[in-house]
Amino acid sequence: MAIELNSGFKMPIVGLGVWRMEGKDIKNLLIHAIKIGYRHFDCAADYQNEAEVGEALAEAFETGLVKREDLFITTKLWNSDHGHVIEACKDSLKKLRLDYLDLYLVHFPIATRHTGVGTTSSAIGEDGILDIDTTISLETTWHAMENLVSMGLVRSIGISNYDIFLTRDCLAYAKVKPAVNQMETHPYFQRDSLVKFCQKHGICVTAHTPLGGAVANTEWFGSISCLDDPVLKGLAEKYKKTVAQIVLRWGIQRSTVVIPKSSKLERLQENLNVFDFELSNEDMKLIKSLDHLSIVLQLWNSDHGHVVEACKDSLKKLGLDYLDLYLVHFPLATKHTGVGTPSSAMGNDGILDIDTSVSLETTWRHMEKLVALGLVRSIGISNYGIFETRDCLAYAKVKPAVNQIELHPYFQRDSLVKFCQKKGICVTAHTPLGGALANTQLFGSVSCLDHPLLTGMAEKYNKSVGQIVLRWAIQRNTVVIPKTSKVERLMENFGALNFELDEEDMKMIKTIDRNYPTNQPGKFWGIDVYE
């Protein structure tokens, strides 16, 4: 079973990823995979096993097991070779012993310092942070990829790990449209909007990590595998299949190509046995409910008297049926300026025009209606102090699930955090890095990221200061939502999950609390609402 790409070539809908396949076992595994029916193999320069894969392919061709045209071979351009696309592709072809590739992907939308073609270890600077190359644009990389097609070195080109914004941008400058976007997608990370966007624009979605990483990612990153989910286990019993087969079938029925990875012979066969059953529409919907991607939005100050309309307006703009969490952004109602017009309502005197006719209890009652209407799954509060939070608990029929507040080492708010947690309200830390450059520029506030205690800990743990601060917050049992528009920072922030601060260091960070908020909207409102 195959899917036709926009380039006119066909890609088998189930492939085999070769990540973490090592040594002499690769040849036996791949030969066995070909014998039982695999025709699609997903490789990458970064996997550092292209030469071994090439040996297996050469043997399969020489012995007449398959012909070259029977197979679909993918490999990927590594980050450090964005300025050397043609050389990197030729190096991969040489190692794979092939004359052409069926598909060549940009592995990540990020260029790093060049370390030599074929040397794919991450380029880390002396500061322990990824050494990003800012001289090469993604458009430049893509046009070099297009040259590979005209040279006959590859049949199709594509992207990998690109989000909606970068994919849209690629479509704008591409002369040869990307045939594929290979991304992580599985029941716990469904990425429905991105998948639909790509498919709408004729880009095939290939699911790497279609089983949620299973043991590999659990060991590497401490992440949670969807294969232990009781809903999926129940479906496996219902269809008399393994949980992995249920998950792969779900991916196929979403019209995505799946490339599970396995070094176990029995798993190779199991992963192919997904074409003899079909999940019902009800079961597809059930799996949809497992998505661990949470969409959170906030009700703006000027819409306290128009809660349902404001929520529906946000849902329409996002193209969603429901929100995972909807928050009252501030415990403050201001003059209504029209649903979807969230600029601050300022009076003629230059001071925030506060509406005294709408109580917080009235606002909360309308928030509770959203739950009853099925428009939101959970409701919560944001920027509420102890007094407002206590009052909300007194009148709430539906208890606030979350209080999202500014929290960082300079503004630790220990009493508020403990109060919320004692009452079963999850604390989410907005501005967990102290606002960094953004708040420094907006409000003239001071960031904790320059504090010598934190920079010293960063050296001790061989982490960035940002990772130290995020880890501190996680160990306080708070949820962190750092903001960044930089791809490298997105990756860096996840590094807060793979280490732990010792008790002494947690105590040391406690000593630098300044009771100092860096998010200070009152500077624009003409009134400090926290006074």
Side-chain angles (χ1 to χ4, degrees):
M1 190 171 178
I3 190 166
E4 186 168 330
L5 304 177
N6 61 34
S7 58
F9 296 98
K10 291 185 177 180
M11 171 193 280
I13 206 161
V14 176
L16 176 63
V18 302
W19 180 55
R20 295 191 86 189
M21 288 189 184
E22 299 175 355
K24 60 184 179 182
D25 292 336
I26 294 180
K27 184 190 290 187
N28 292 335
L29 276 166
L30 294 188
I31 293 296
H32 180 75
I34 291 170
K35 285 180 178 177
I36 64 174
Y38 281 92
R39 295 295 181 265
H40 175 185
F41 296 95
D42 185 78
C43 313
D46 184 51
Y47 302 164
Q48 299 179 24
N49 57 11
E50 286 178 318
E52 289 80 1
V53 172
E55 287 183 28
L57 295 178
E59 182 173 313
F61 300 149
E62 288 167 6
T63 58
L65 186 59
V66 286
K67 297 176 181 178
R68 170 63 186 97
E69 56 267 28
D70 296 330
L71 298 185
F72 191 99
I73 308 297
T74 302
T75 197
K76 307 177 191 79
L77 174 80
W78 185 235
N79 306 335
S80 56
D81 285 331
H82 277 229
H84 303 265
V85 173
I86 294 173
E87 302 97 304
C89 181
K90 287 181 176 179
D91 182 68
S92 290
L93 284 168
K94 182 178 179 182
K95 289 172 179 173
L96 290 167
R97 304 190 189 186
L98 299 175
D99 297 323
Y100 67 89
L101 293 168
D102 296 278
L103 178 63
Y104 196 49
L105 303 176
V106 180
H107 204 146
F108 284 94
I110 186 169
T112 60
R113 175 173 52 86
H114 184 57
T115 54
V117 169
T119 56
T120 58
S121 56
S122 294
I124 304 296
E126 292 180 359
D127 55 1
I129 297 174
L130 198 64
D131 198 348
I132 307 293
D133 184 348
T134 58
T135 67
I136 304 169
S137 70
L138 290 176
E139 181 175 353
T140 299
T141 301
W142 188 252
H143 290 321
M145 295 282 288
E146 291 171 327
N147 287 338
L148 297 174
V149 178
S150 59
M151 294 171 70
L153 297 177
V154 305
R155 289 185 163 179
S156 304
I157 52 176
I159 52 183
S160 180
N161 300 302
Y162 276 49
D163 61 15
I164 284 180
F165 304 123
L166 293 174
T167 305
R168 187 218 66 84
D169 209 37
C170 185
L171 286 169
Y173 55 67
K175 295 173 183 175
V176 176
K177 187 175 177 179
V180 167
N181 189 1
Q182 184 180 120
M183 65 184 81
E184 179 177 357
T185 177
H186 48 77
Y188 277 4
F189 193 41
Q190 298 184 20
R191 311 182 82 174
D192 207 41
S193 296
L194 178 54
V195 170
K196 287 179 179 177
F197 176 83
C198 288
Q199 291 174 339
K200 179 180 179 180
H201 290 278
I203 301 172
C204 172
V205 173
T206 300
H208 75 66
T209 326
L211 301 176
V215 176
N217 284 6
T218 302
E219 290 175 349
W220 275 51
F221 308 118
S223 47
I224 301 169
S225 169
C226 63
L227 298 187
D228 295 320
D229 192 283
V231 169
L232 297 174
K233 286 182 175 180
L235 291 176
E237 289 182 17
K238 173 182 175 179
Y239 288 93
K240 292 182 172 51
K241 292 287 182 178
T242 66
V243 178
Q245 288 171 323
I246 295 295
V247 173
L248 293 176
R249 184 67 212 179
W250 168 81
I252 290 167
Q253 285 182 223
R254 293 177 85 204
S255 299
T256 62
V257 171
V258 292
I259 44 173
K261 303 165 182 69
S262 181
S263 57
K264 296 180 179 178
L265 297 180
E266 64 274 17
R267 294 275 189 240
L268 294 179
Q269 184 63 63
E270 178 186 303
N271 291 341
L272 275 184
N273 294 337
V274 290
F275 296 105
D276 59 350
F277 75 106
E278 188 169 330
L279 297 168
S280 69
N281 288 336
E282 280 305 308
D283 290 333
M284 289 293 289
K285 289 177 182 177
L286 187 60
I287 295 175
K288 186 177 177 68
S289 72
L290 301 180
D291 194 358
H292 279 206
L293 175 63
S294 294
I295 306 298
V296 180
L297 273 184
Q298 289 132 318
L299 173 79
W300 186 236
N301 305 335
S302 57
D303 285 330
H304 277 229
H306 303 265
V307 174
V308 175
E309 302 98 304
C311 181
K312 286 182 176 178
D313 181 67
S314 291
L315 285 169
K316 183 180 178 181
K317 288 173 179 173
L318 287 168
L320 298 176
D321 299 320
Y322 68 89
L323 293 170
D324 297 280
L325 177 63
Y326 197 49
L327 304 176
V328 181
H329 204 144
F330 283 92
L332 177 74
T334 60
K335 183 185 64 151
H336 184 58
T337 54
V339 170
T341 57
S343 57
S344 295
M346 306 300 289
N348 293 331
D349 55 2
I351 296 175
L352 196 66
D353 198 348
I354 295 175
D355 184 351
T356 58
S357 68
V358 184
S359 70
L360 290 176
E361 180 174 353
T362 300
T363 301
W364 191 253
R365 290 282 174 258
H366 288 292
M367 294 286 285
E368 290 172 327
K369 282 184 184 177
L370 297 175
V371 179
L373 290 166
L375 298 175
V376 305
R377 288 182 166 180
S378 302
I379 51 177
I381 52 183
S382 181
N383 300 303
Y384 275 47
I386 284 181
F387 302 133
E388 296 92 357
T389 305
R390 187 219 66 82
D391 207 37
C392 186
L393 287 169
Y395 53 67
K397 294 175 182 176
V398 177
K399 186 175 174 180
V402 167
N403 189 3
Q404 184 182 119
I405 55 179
E406 178 176 355
L407 279 181
H408 47 79
Y410 277 1
F411 195 40
Q412 300 186 20
R413 313 181 80 177
D414 207 41
S415 296
L416 178 54
V417 171
K418 287 179 178 177
F419 176 79
C420 289
Q421 292 175 337
K422 182 179 179 180
K423 298 298 180 182
I425 300 172
C426 172
V427 175
T428 298
H430 75 65
T431 326
L433 301 175
L437 186 60
N439 283 6
T440 301
Q441 292 175 341
L442 267 172
F443 308 117
S445 48
V446 180
S447 170
C448 63
L449 298 185
D450 297 321
H451 195 284
L453 176 70
L454 298 175
T455 56
M457 286 186 189
E459 289 181 16
K460 172 182 174 181
Y461 289 93
N462 195 26
K463 294 288 180 179
S464 69
V465 180
Q467 289 170 326
I468 296 294
V469 173
L470 293 177
R471 184 67 212 179
W472 166 80
I474 290 167
Q475 286 182 221
R476 295 178 84 205
N477 296 317
T478 62
V479 173
V480 292
I481 47 171
K483 303 168 183 70
T484 185
S485 58
K486 297 180 178 178
V487 176
E488 64 271 20
R489 292 286 185 226
L490 292 176
M491 298 169 70
E492 179 187 307
N493 290 340
F494 274 108
L497 298 173
N498 60 14
F499 75 106
E500 191 168 330
L501 296 170
D502 62 41
E503 193 174 337
E504 277 306 305
D505 288 330
M506 289 293 290
K507 288 178 181 176
M508 288 294 290
I509 295 176
K510 192 176 178 70
T511 67
I512 65 172
D513 190 4
R514 296 184 178 182
N515 194 29
Y516 175 73
T518 65
N519 194 332
Q520 301 168 6
K523 291 194 174 183
F524 301 112
W525 289 347
I527 180 173
D528 189 344
V529 296
Y530 294 115
E531 285 186 346

